[in-house]
Amino acid sequence: SQGAWNSTTTVADLGQSSAVGGATVDVASGGGAAIAVFPKAVATTVAMTGSSTTTLRAHAARWNGSWGAATQIDGAAGAGSLAGASVAMNGAGDGVAAVRLANGSTSTVAAARYVSGWAGAAIVASGDILGAPRVGVATNGNAQLAFLETALGHTVLRAARWGGVAWSTPAAIDGPDDTSAFDLTVAAAG
């Protein structure tokens, strides 16, 4: 049988449309719930000068019958604007969101976990990160995160694992030097 689309729902006011344009949005579902990760324009004032800047910070909202409040999930890692996002969920409704925050030529990969609420974001890596990181969540809640990084003129695939306490140090995995047709997918198991 075919279903019908529900009416649209505003999940969050993203702020200035000129600041948000072209930013990454991702969504995943599991266990009857869904998580959306998206940019939200946040104005900050520089204490010394009083000047104001707007950056795109990573936010997430969870749906479990209705959309919950948008929560900033990049924490103190927010040295820059959201440049890429990925989210995954398992069948129990646990989720992991990974984001890339760009600040000039340096990027930061941060990840946050959702079990019964959002846990604080952890910085997983910093460097010359390419594109959005990718995540996968196993049925037991363990997660894998992978991203591409340029190091010494070569593209390196790196992966980190959440084993229940903290993210592991990203390990280098053989990767392609030509990323023009590269589509990174992550699956996690126990």
Side-chain angles (χ1 to χ4, degrees):
S1 98
Q2 292 183 333
W5 286 96
N6 291 339
S7 60
T8 59
T9 301
T10 299
V11 176
D13 179 357
L14 303 183
Q16 301 173 356
S17 61
S18 61
V20 176
T24 301
V25 174
D26 198 13
V27 66
S29 63
I35 294 175
V37 176
F38 49 89
K40 186 173 180 183
V42 176
T44 55
T45 302
V46 179
M48 299 291 282
T49 64
S51 63
S52 179
T53 61
T54 299
T55 56
L56 296 179
R57 302 300 296 269
H59 285 71
R62 187 169 188 270
W63 182 86
N64 196 7
S66 63
W67 285 103
T71 302
Q72 185 173 324
I73 60 166
D74 59 15
S81 285
L82 180 64
S86 176
V87 63
M89 295 181 75
N90 65 17
D94 300 333
V96 173
V99 297
R100 179 175 71 96
L101 301 159
N103 189 1
S105 62
T106 302
S107 293
T108 299
V109 173
R113 296 180 60 250
Y114 186 98
V115 179
S116 58
W118 286 105
I123 297 173
V124 178
S126 292
D128 190 3
I129 313 295
L130 305 172
R134 295 289 182 246
V135 293
V137 183
T139 55
N140 67 358
N142 288 344
Q144 299 284 340
L145 179 150
F147 59 92
L148 295 172
E149 180 178 24
T150 299
L152 302 173
H154 296 278
T155 301
V156 178
L157 174 62
R158 297 195 183 274
R161 185 175 196 278
W162 173 268
V165 177
W167 287 97
S168 66
T169 301
I173 301 171
D174 288 339
D177 278 335
D178 177 13
T179 61
S180 60
F182 191 73
D183 183 19
L184 186 59
T185 303
V186 174

